[in-house]
């Protein structure tokens, strides 16, 4: 089977639809009309799905998107998985000269990389680095916040300041403005604190720091070696040193990066060995609460050519990503479960310490198998539609000691074999995804044959089944919906740390450094609310459809038609949830408009800081006043969309409207 098969099947189905639509003209038999309209609509549904299947099968290569909490180890895993590390000669514990490895991308215990990193093949013979920078206005705002922090810290003027800006931002801004810590006569000297102390006022302090940043001269975005590298090791060294400097804000002509592109030559990563991999994307680490983000949602739900690899540490998996996956891997979602994998990052001895019914397993492979089953069971308990074959395990440092030196009992081939095993597993995931799509098309061919060969009419019992089904559907048309969105949304905003909440308000609701968008947050809250309220109604409708499928005769052709109807109900439901979620984003934005300093709401939200305790509660009260009509709007809008885009579309399947 191939894409041509899918296209051919679609053509055959569309031809049959034309025949059935001609046959229905002038017919008055209710029995005949119901059956034929159901057949036509089920075939139209299949044809539409085949268009989608064909589009997915036409994807040539994929972005590998690594997602995980801060400090989980995904950057380290990426570097070892794609051979992005270098070896340096050093003297080992035994006194012998050995090779010590170090990653080419900046790694650490967390908050090491300032932004998302995209690794892709270089079109030239040499590797290069390129940034998408923050605008000067955005950098000035970062600097302003840093100045306020140091000013209040040194002057003890604001008891609400509970912590510095994000570590990665603090580090980069210090470097850009040359306000690093230093050691003088054995004592730590903080240049930022010294400058704050010597400044007469905050405005003067801010002016001095902005002058040090010299933003007007930071307009370079691409860095490439002017000369050919003498060796692969020289290229690795160049990449490591310059990536570190860009990430730390140490490059004089470069501004603060919003995204870093790493173009690697074929000498570093042989992309041609894995032609299905277009790029490797190391997303910014999720904060401790692991809340959903707009950038992650885009990769998971909207980008069909993204394979999303959720990185989790061995003991915690899958607890840190379960809540996020609950939103996307629902019963109703399609084509997401086949592009999502869990990458469990084990560390030395963890698999051997797994406990089964007989106690500690003390065997790595057995421990991994036991843990895999535990993880799958955890997903099942949370009703997360996760494919067990998409649970992978990897230990980037399995063969190295604490000093990152290869253990004497291992060879470099052991390292390479483990790396290739995981890369092959990711490649197999793509192949399974395509095989599943082709099998789905094959199943549709079988359903198509069942529909067109059914020549019998509906029996009295089947007519009753259809009438009872329609009554069940109609009984849910005016499902009562009482919204508590406003309270849920305010509680969601309240969960942000006060200093983060302030940074969000200073930017009119979006904080790019942490990929926070409070308008997008509204969709997260709304989707969870709507699923809680309407899933039971949808389940009852599905149950009634399955009852018809169970008791319908083989001759009537109702069985395959009801199978397709169930699929359509799930699709309509998912679209209903997503549509309302997207609309609520716009409504929140309108409620808080204009997003300018002239808006009294934003003026208060930004200037309430520093006016005594209770900043967050007072500003949240203002939010409540601004969105106090959303619950009423949501009730009316949900009822309208539920009827028009869910209920009516189901009834249209029977030829009713």
């Amino acid at each position: 089977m191939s894409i041509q098969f899918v296209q051919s099947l679609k053509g055959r189905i569309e031809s049959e639809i034309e025949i059935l639509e001609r046959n229905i003209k002038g017919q008055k038999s209710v029995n005949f009309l119901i059956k034929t309209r159901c057949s036509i609509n089920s075939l139209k549904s299949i044809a539409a799905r085949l268009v989608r299947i064909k589009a997915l099968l036409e994807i040539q290569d994929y972005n590998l998107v690594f997602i995980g909490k801060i400090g989980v180890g995904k950057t380290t895993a990426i570097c070892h998985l794609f051979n992005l590390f270098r070896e340096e000669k050093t003297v080992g514990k035994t006194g012998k000269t050995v090779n010590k490895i170090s990653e080419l991308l900046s790694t650490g215990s967390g908050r090491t990389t300032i932004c998302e990193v995209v690794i892709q093949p270089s079109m030239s013979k040499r590797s290069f680095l390129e940034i998408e920078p923050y605008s000067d206005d955005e950098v000035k705002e970062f600097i302003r916040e840093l100045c306020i922090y140091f000013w209040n810290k040194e002057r003890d003027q604001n008891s609400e300041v509970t912590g510095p800006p994000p570590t990665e931002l603090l580090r980069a801004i210090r470097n850009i403005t040359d306000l690093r810590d230093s050691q003088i006569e054995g004592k730590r000297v903080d240049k930022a604190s010294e400058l704050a102390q010597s400044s007469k006022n905050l405005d003067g302090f801010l002016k001095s720091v902005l002058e040090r940043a010299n933003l007007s001269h930071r307009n370079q975005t691409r860095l490439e070696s002017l000369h050919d590298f003498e060796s692969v090791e020289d290229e690795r060294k160049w990449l490591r040193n310059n990536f570190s400097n860009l990430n730390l804000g140490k490059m004089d002509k470069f501004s603060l990066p919003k995204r870093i592109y790493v173009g690697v030559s074929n000498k570093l990563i042989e992309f041609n060995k894995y032609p299905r991999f277009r790029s490797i994307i190391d997303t910014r680490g999720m904060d401790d609460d692991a809340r959903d983000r707009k950038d992650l949602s885009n990769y998971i739900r909207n980008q069909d050519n993204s394979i999303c690899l959720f990185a989790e540490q061995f003991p915690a998996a899958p607890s840190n990503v379960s809540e996020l996956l609950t939103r996307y891997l629902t019963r109703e979602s399609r084509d997401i479960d086949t592009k999502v994998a869990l990458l469990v990052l084990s560390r030395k001895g963890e698999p051997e310490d797994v406990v089964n019914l007989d106690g500690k397993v003390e065997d790595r492979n057995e421990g991994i198998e036991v843990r895999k089953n535990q993880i799958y069971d955890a997903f099942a308990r949370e009703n997360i539609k996760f494919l067990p074959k998409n649970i992978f395990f990897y230990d980037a440092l399995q063969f190295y000691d604490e000093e990152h030196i290869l253990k004497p009992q291992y060879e470099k081939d052991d390292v390479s074999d483990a790396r290739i095993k995981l890369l092959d597993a990711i490649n197999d995931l793509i192949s399974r995804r395509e095989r599943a799509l082709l099998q789905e098309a094959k199943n549709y061919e079988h359903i198509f044959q069942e529909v067109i060969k059914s020549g019998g009419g509906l029996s009295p019992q089947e007519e009753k089944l259809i009438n009872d089904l329609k009554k069940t559907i109609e009984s849910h048309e005016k499902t009562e919906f009482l919204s508590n969105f406003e309270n849920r949304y305010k509680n969601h905003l309240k969960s942000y740390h006060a200093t983060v909440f302030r940074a969000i308000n200073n930017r009119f609701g979006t904080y790019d450094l942490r990929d926070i968008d409070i308008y997008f947050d509204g969709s997260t809250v709304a989707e969870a609310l709507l699923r809680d309220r309407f899933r039971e109604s949808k389940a009852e409708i599905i149950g009634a459809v399955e009852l018809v499928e169970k008791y319908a005769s083989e001759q009537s052709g109702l069985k395959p038609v009801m199978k397709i109807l169930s699929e359509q109900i799930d699709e309509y439901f998912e679209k209903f949830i997503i549509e309302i979620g997207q609309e609520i984003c716009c409504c929140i934005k309108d409620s808080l408009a204009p997003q300018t300093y002239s808006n009294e709401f934003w003026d208060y939200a930004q200037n309430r800081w520093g006016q005594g305790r209770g900043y967050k509660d007072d500003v949240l009260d203002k939010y409540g006043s601004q969105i106090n009509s959303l619950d009423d709007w949501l009730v009316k809008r949900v009822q309208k969309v539920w009827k028009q885009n869910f209920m009516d579309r189901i009834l249209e399947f029977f030829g009713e409207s």
Side-chain angles (χ1 to χ4, degrees), residues 41 470 472-479 541 565 568-569 572-573 576 637-657:
N41 287 322
K470 288 194 286 186
T472 299
I473 294 169
E474 290 166 351
S475 71
H476 290 280
E477 183 174 315
K478 296 182 179 180
T479 300
I541 294 172
L565 178 56
Q568 286 300 108
I569 291 170
Y572 298 153
F573 185 80
F576 158 69
R637 183 59 183 159
V638 164
Q639 289 174 342
K640 182 176 182 179
V641 176
W642 173 259
K643 181 181 185 302
Q644 290 182 347
N645 294 0
F646 185 71
M647 300 301 304
D648 288 354
R649 294 190 71 183
I650 298 173
L651 291 172
E652 284 171 6
F653 199 84
F654 302 98
E656 300 184 13
S657 58

Side-chain angles (χ1 to χ4, degrees), residues 425-436:
I426 298 171
N427 213 42
D428 288 344
L429 179 152
I430 296 172
S431 297
R432 284 198 302 275
R433 174 177 167 85
E434 292 173 337
R435 288 197 300 272

Side-chain angles (χ1 to χ4, degrees), residues 66-94:
F66 288 78
I67 300 168
K69 280 183 63 175
I70 291 169
V72 76
K74 58 185 173 65
T75 305
T76 299
I78 289 170
C79 286
H80 287 266
L81 186 57
F82 294 97
N83 214 22
L84 291 176
F85 60 84
R86 62 188 297 256
E87 296 180 336
E88 299 172 275
K89 298 290 185 182
T90 187
V91 178
K93 295 178 180 179
T94 62

Side-chain angles (χ1 to χ4, degrees), residues 12 17 24 81 94 100 150 152 231 239 247 287 322 338 355 367 449 455 468 512-513 568 592 613 646:
R12 288 156 55 199
I17 291 171
I24 207 171
L81 186 57
T94 62
K100 179 178 181 178
F150 277 108
N152 290 331
S231 66
L239 186 59
N247 182 58
D287 291 326
S322 287
T338 55
V355 177
Q449 295 297 337
D468 289 346
D512 285 345
L513 182 71
Q568 286 300 108
L592 303 180
R613 295 186 179 276
F646 185 71

Side-chain angles (χ1 to χ4, degrees), residues 260-321:
I260 299 176
Y261 294 91
V262 182
V264 294
S265 71
N266 196 52
K267 295 176 183 177
L268 297 190
I269 298 180
E270 295 178 298
F271 274 99
N272 57 330
K273 285 188 175 181
Y274 291 91
R276 307 306 304 275
F277 301 166
R278 170 184 290 183
S279 71
I280 303 129
I281 300 176
D282 186 6
T283 61
R284 194 188 59 78
M286 295 188 295
D287 291 326
D288 288 339
D289 52 17
R291 72 176 75 219
D292 199 1
R293 299 195 321 234
K294 190 174 183 178
D295 62 318
L296 303 183
S297 180
N298 190 42
Y299 285 129
I300 299 167
R301 182 177 276 169
N302 300 329
Q303 293 193 13
D304 292 329
N305 65 336
S306 292
I307 300 298
C308 298
L309 298 146
F310 286 81
E312 268 273 46
Q313 291 181 342
F314 190 89
S319 59
N320 290 319
V321 297

